Amino acid sequence: VDREHAAREVAAAAGDDAVVPARELDRYAPDSSGAPSARPLAAVRPLDASGVARVLAAASRLRVPVVPAGGRSGLAGGANADGASVVLSLDRLDRIGAVETGNLRLTAGAGARTCDVQAAALAAGLFYPPDPASLDRSTIGGNVATNAGGPRCFKYGVTAEYVLALEAVTADGRIFRTGAATRKNTAGPRLAQLLVGSEGTLAVITEATLRLVAAPAARLAATARFDSLERAGAAVAAVVASGLVPSAIELLDRTCLELIGLSGDAMLLLEVDGPDAARVRADLEALARGLRDAGADALATASDPGAVDELWRARRGLSDAFAAAAPDHLFQDICVPAAAVPDALRGIAVIAARHGLAVPVFGHAGDGNLHSTVLYDAAAGEADAAQAAEADVLRLALELGGTIAAEHGVGLLKRPFLARAVDPVALELMRAVKAALDPNGILNPGKVLP
Amino acid sequence: VDREHAAREVAAAAGDDAVVPARELDRYAPDSSGAPSARPLAAVRPLDASGVARVLAAASRLRVPVVPAGGRSGLAGGANADGASVVLSLDRLDRIGAVETGNLRLTAGAGARTCDVQAAALAAGLFYPPDPASLDRSTIGGNVATNAGGPRCFKYGVTAEYVLALEAVTADGRIFRTGAATRKNTAGPRLAQLLVGSEGTLAVITEATLRLVAAPAARLAATARFDSLERAGAAVAAVVASGLVPSAIELLDRTCLELIGLSGDAMLLLEVDGPDAARVRADLEALARGLRDAGADALATASDPGAVDELWRARRGLSDAFAAAAPDHLFQDICVPAAAVPDALRGIAVIAARHGLAVPVFGHAGDGNLHSTVLYDAAAGEADAAQAAEADVLRLALELGGTIAAEHGVGLLKRPFLARAVDPVALELMRAVKAALDPNGILNPGKVLP
């Protein structure tokens, strides 16, 4: 009862119009991961950074756990509420400032949707490259807090490389700015880059100034099917070594292909973009030659935007195919050194066979970022096997010199594995940093650090 | 005497063969900045991370300040010793591991010279882009600790974007690894990226795993002279907006040109590189058209490596020209939003005139990173005016929305200005992080944070 009273006081600090009605609270419990969640004690949707600051000041004083949330599209449970927390939704901080074309940047509120930021940049002839799959729902604040990736990272890098400066609020409710809205900055410790990927555990991001690049004038794509994973892996290595830098190198394995009605052991989907059509066409032709030399069976190229979208459709249809194929799933987000991709794919196939479960794999092969998905039926008693299979996949990633979380963060789901992935001394330093920035432990407790 | 005894004990922890003889200690006092320094109590050159750990454990126990140092090529006094400290030189940790071509990476000791890392990558057909001017002497550890830049950052980004993982030693002497040797990693707070640019104040970096890219097969360059800074600034903006991404966009102002015997109000030096000669030539031609359209008076293009070097010679000759022109100088490293470059250049000219001093400006114009250098003669009583001019330049950078330190760090020289450049709340958080990672304050005290 005391906790409920405290939560109400924290919520009230946001202002009456910012408190979510009790009947809507269930919507503020889960993200998109399927990780455990519970209806929070309260949820607030402040209008601005001042509102965020008032909420955090009250939460800090009353020691009420706060769960920052954006578009709730995360896949690790990072924004999931429990029954003791107040959800702090940043979705109303969705202002997108004018695109500064001369300075190649824009400033967006944490609640601005990724797709809207991309559209604003494009309307000014510029480009915001990070493209997480959920970009129609995900927010810039969430993208920054998880250091979101996407297919285009092979050429353009992850969200961190586009964050110039941040506005954020400390655990005890003080608004601050950090970073500089310039391409280079070495004025003091890199606090802004520490907040990137911190999943709401160190401060609450309210606004980001983002670097933009010139928009590519042309974009073409190709798919190539292979009769062995080895050949597909070798083709990826050949492309990477060629010096050509496709904007995406996506891989789908046999199980994925089966689920979407295609044959073959592996398919690559490659996209190239650039400042002029002739050059992009030349790149695509060079790519196609390389893929043929690497043993591609069937090669399809797309020479107009509609055809490019068509090639991506299969890739985008995977989530639905997984959902249709099994009632439950566990999603992995490993990254291995590029040369270890074939080993990882073979290893995952062995794990799937060992546990008697389907584990389709797709991913951003150029980066070594593989998304395996353990398909299972909890009602049929497969939950334990599924969890064992996930643990095996994460162990495999570490054995291959990789990481257990590439572009979706740790959240709740990967937290039990973090101590295995991080050096124990480094983990101690991470805890010291957390204690320094959130001494009362109210920011997203129970997430990320074990 | 007690302090001297403690320093000797700290030095001895490195092992007898790692202690610098007393007669050589003066060499371990200054970096290349001209900032105040004093002969340290001792200096050590450990052979490996274990030696570094022993030194730090002893220093932590005995509360002896430690100044980590690499190639001593810094321009902010970050590696400068004072009379109470022990210098911890990482120069013997200079091992460069095998280039992993399939994984596009290599691992180098903190003491490996930047040029040797670049050469190792090139010998394997790969490329390590960061190119600080001092790369013949600077070390990878120093580059990472200052987040070093260079002309190529416009296309390739700063050192931070090439750091995948680090080995480092805590203030109390524990070796740890952090980051992952993969392109993407979201497994826990970004400790590795926090150590980047921390100038030896948070931990001592002993090894870095660096991302490499495909080596450009061709490189061409052009210079363009302009009869007004406005035109040169507009030309930079036009190039940036064109979507072409030169590997360098350097600017020299009238004072620089005079010092190296050239005329004109401004000169741009642009370099393009890429995977094939035909494409790079096409890029250079497109650039040249853009520069002519933007009002360039005299355009020179270099079509072979020798001619490219020739064009860079003038740019590289600036430091010598400054040294010849005045006995003393103060070097600035500001970064402003790209569109503010003309305002910054005009403002610096006004400041120079106000203080009656020559302040030549060159810089990485595409990034908005300008290096002004206040030339003066301390013996002629110009030191106060020079310092006032520097303060004015830094204030101007902040007024234009920029930063006081772009690629050379804060060290000693910019420390008095940091509180003006950083949000007071952010500064408090930076201090909390420093206290969390170096609770006894032995790591490079008196540097960076005021």
Side-chain angles (χ1 to χ4, degrees):
Chain A
V1 174
D2 266 3
R3 281 201 314 198
E4 280 172 26
H5 182 80
R8 268 199 303 274
E9 196 171 329
V10 169
D16 282 350
D17 65 332
V19 180
V20 171
R23 66 178 180 281
E24 294 176 15
L25 279 179
D26 284 338
R27 281 207 282 134
Y28 290 82
D31 67 2
S32 304
S33 64
S37 68
R39 181 188 167 96
L41 289 175
V44 291
R45 301 172 61 214
L47 261 177
D48 54 24
S50 300
V52 173
R54 290 193 305 273
V55 168
L56 288 171
S60 214
R61 186 166 43 83
L62 298 164
R63 305 287 192 271
V64 172
V66 171
V67 179
R72 316 201 71 82
S73 56
L75 293 177
N80 280 18
D82 62 28
S85 56
V86 171
V87 170
L88 170 54
S89 177
L90 285 308
D91 65 312
R92 284 164 91 187
L93 280 74
D94 61 354
R95 196 187 65 88
I96 298 177
V99 176
E100 298 174 69
T101 50
N103 292 327
L104 297 176
R105 69 187 187 195
L106 69 70
T107 295
R113 289 189 309 168
T114 315
C115 60
D116 294 333
V117 168
Q118 290 184 344
L122 273 178
L126 295 174
F127 189 46
Y128 176 68
D131 60 341
S134 59
L135 54 84
D136 288 341
R137 292 183 299 136
S138 72
T139 60
I140 286 298
N143 290 174
V144 173
T146 54
N147 194 10
R152 278 188 206 127
C153 296
F154 179 71
K155 174 171 180 176
Y156 290 101
V158 296
T159 299
E161 292 172 39
Y162 295 87
V163 174
L164 296 173
L166 296 174
E167 180 193 72
V169 183
T170 62
D172 59 0
R174 289 171 295 155
I175 301 171
F176 65 98
R177 294 195 158 269
T178 188
T182 52
R183 181 77 199 274
K184 292 170 169 175
N185 178 35
T186 57
R190 298 187 352 123
L191 183 59
Q193 288 294 330
L194 177 65
L195 297 186
V196 173
S198 65
E199 301 187 45
T201 65
L202 302 180
V204 176
I205 296 161
T206 48
E207 190 177 277
T209 299
L210 302 167
R211 179 168 78 89
L212 305 175
V213 297
R219 175 176 301 155
L220 296 172
T223 58
R225 272 188 265 172
F226 294 84
D227 66 1
S228 86
L229 270 179
E230 276 71 18
R231 284 213 179 122
V236 171
V239 167
V240 169
S242 72
L244 289 167
V245 183
S247 46
I249 308 180
E250 300 284 296
L251 179 142
L252 285 73
D253 78 348
R254 168 194 282 276
T255 316
C256 285
L257 293 174
E258 280 169 6
L259 285 174
I260 54 176
L262 296 174
S263 62
D265 254 30
M267 184 172 89
L268 296 180
L269 166 57
L270 299 104
E271 191 180 88
V272 286
D273 67 11
D276 65 81
R279 174 164 307 192
V280 172
R281 193 169 304 276
D283 276 349
L284 188 72
E285 282 161 15
L287 264 183
R289 278 194 299 275
L291 293 168
R292 257 184 238 110
D293 291 348
D297 288 328
L299 198 66
T301 57
S303 52
D304 64 79
V308 171
D309 283 348
E310 182 67 31
L311 291 188
W312 276 96
R313 202 160 297 157
R315 163 71 179 80
R316 292 213 189 86
L318 280 175
S319 296
D320 288 345
F322 293 168
D328 303 293
H329 65 273
L330 285 173
F331 171 84
Q332 291 90 49
D333 169 36
I334 65 171
C335 198
V336 298
V341 167
D343 283 346
L345 292 166
R346 265 192 301 270
I348 293 169
V350 169
I351 290 166
R354 183 159 68 226
H355 295 282
L357 295 169
V359 185
V361 185
F362 67 97
H364 317 305
D367 292 321
N369 182 188
L370 300 177
H371 294 308
S372 52
T373 304
V374 180
L375 304 180
Y376 70 104
D377 183 352
E382 293 176 343
D384 287 352
Q387 279 174 16
E390 164 155 292
D392 286 351
V393 170
L394 300 184
R395 200 173 295 120
L396 174 69
L398 295 175
E399 282 166 9
L400 293 172
T403 181
I404 62 167
E407 57 175 8
H408 291 278
V410 174
L412 273 178
L413 284 182
K414 303 300 183 286
R415 183 174 177 247
F417 303 96
L418 196 67
R420 254 180 271 169
V422 173
D423 181 303
V425 174
L427 189 56
E428 206 175 299
L429 299 183
M430 291 171 182
R431 287 184 176 128
V433 168
K434 163 74 173 169
L437 298 190
D438 179 23
N440 298 317
I442 63 150
L443 287 177
N444 221 1
K447 309 287 172 60
V448 186
L449 294 178
Chain B
V1 176
D2 264 5
R3 281 199 317 196
E4 281 174 25
H5 182 81
R8 270 200 301 274
E9 196 173 329
V10 169
D16 281 351
D17 65 331
V19 180
V20 171
R23 66 177 181 283
E24 293 175 16
L25 280 179
D26 284 338
R27 282 208 281 135
Y28 291 81
D31 67 1
S32 304
S33 64
S37 67
R39 181 187 167 98
L41 289 174
V44 291
R45 302 173 60 215
L47 261 177
D48 54 24
S50 300
V52 172
R54 290 194 305 274
V55 168
L56 289 171
S60 215
R61 186 165 43 82
L62 298 165
R63 305 288 192 271
V64 173
V66 171
V67 179
R72 316 201 72 81
S73 55
L75 293 178
N80 280 17
D82 61 29
S85 56
V86 171
V87 169
L88 171 53
S89 176
L90 285 308
D91 66 311
R92 285 165 90 187
L93 281 73
D94 60 354
R95 196 187 66 87
I96 299 177
V99 176
E100 299 174 68
T101 50
N103 292 326
L104 298 176
R105 69 186 187 195
L106 69 71
T107 296
R113 289 187 308 168
T114 315
C115 59
D116 294 334
V117 168
Q118 290 185 343
L122 273 178
L126 294 174
F127 190 47
Y128 177 68
D131 60 342
S134 59
L135 54 84
D136 287 341
R137 291 183 300 136
S138 72
T139 61
I140 286 298
N143 290 173
V144 173
T146 54
N147 194 11
R152 279 188 206 126
C153 296
F154 180 71
K155 174 171 180 176
Y156 289 101
V158 294
T159 300
E161 292 172 39
Y162 294 87
V163 173
L164 296 172
L166 296 175
E167 180 193 74
V169 182
T170 63
D172 60 359
R174 290 171 295 155
I175 302 169
F176 66 97
R177 294 195 158 271
T178 188
T182 51
R183 181 76 200 274
K184 292 170 169 175
N185 179 36
T186 58
R190 301 192 342 130
L191 182 59
Q193 288 294 330
L194 177 65
L195 298 186
V196 173
S198 64
E199 303 188 45
T201 66
L202 303 179
V204 176
I205 295 162
T206 49
E207 191 178 278
T209 299
L210 302 167
R211 180 167 78 88
L212 305 174
V213 296
R219 175 176 302 153
L220 297 172
T223 57
R225 272 188 264 172
F226 294 84
D227 66 1
S228 85
L229 271 179
E230 276 69 18
R231 284 212 180 125
V236 171
V239 167
V240 169
S242 72
L244 289 168
V245 184
S247 46
I249 308 180
E250 299 284 297
L251 180 141
L252 284 73
D253 78 349
R254 167 194 282 275
T255 316
C256 284
L257 293 174
E258 280 170 5
L259 284 174
I260 55 176
L262 296 175
S263 62
D265 254 32
M267 183 172 90
L268 295 180
L269 166 58
L270 300 104
E271 190 180 89
V272 286
D273 66 10
D276 65 78
R279 175 164 307 191
V280 172
R281 194 169 304 276
D283 276 349
L284 188 72
E285 281 160 15
L287 264 183
R289 278 194 300 275
L291 293 169
R292 255 183 239 110
D293 291 348
D297 286 328
L299 197 66
T301 58
S303 52
D304 63 77
V308 170
D309 283 347
E310 181 67 32
L311 290 188
W312 276 96
R313 202 158 298 157
R315 163 73 178 78
R316 291 212 188 89
L318 280 175
S319 297
D320 288 345
F322 293 169
D328 303 293
H329 65 272
L330 284 174
F331 171 84
Q332 290 91 49
D333 170 35
I334 65 171
C335 198
V336 298
V341 166
D343 283 345
L345 291 166
R346 265 192 301 269
I348 292 169
V350 169
I351 290 166
R354 182 158 69 225
H355 295 284
L357 295 169
V359 185
V361 185
F362 67 96
H364 317 307
D367 292 321
N369 182 187
L370 299 178
H371 294 309
S372 52
T373 304
V374 180
L375 304 180
Y376 69 105
D377 183 352
E382 292 176 345
D384 286 352
Q387 279 173 17
E390 164 155 292
D392 285 351
V393 170
L394 300 183
R395 200 172 296 120
L396 173 70
L398 296 175
E399 282 166 8
L400 293 173
T403 180
I404 62 167
E407 57 174 9
H408 291 277
V410 174
L412 273 178
L413 284 182
K414 303 300 183 285
R415 184 173 177 244
F417 304 96
L418 196 67
R420 253 179 271 170
V422 173
D423 181 304
V425 173
L427 189 57
E428 207 176 299
L429 299 183
M430 290 172 184
R431 287 183 177 129
V433 169
K434 162 74 174 171
L437 298 190
D438 178 23
N440 298 317
I442 63 150
L443 287 177
N444 221 3
K447 309 287 171 61
V448 186
L449 294 178

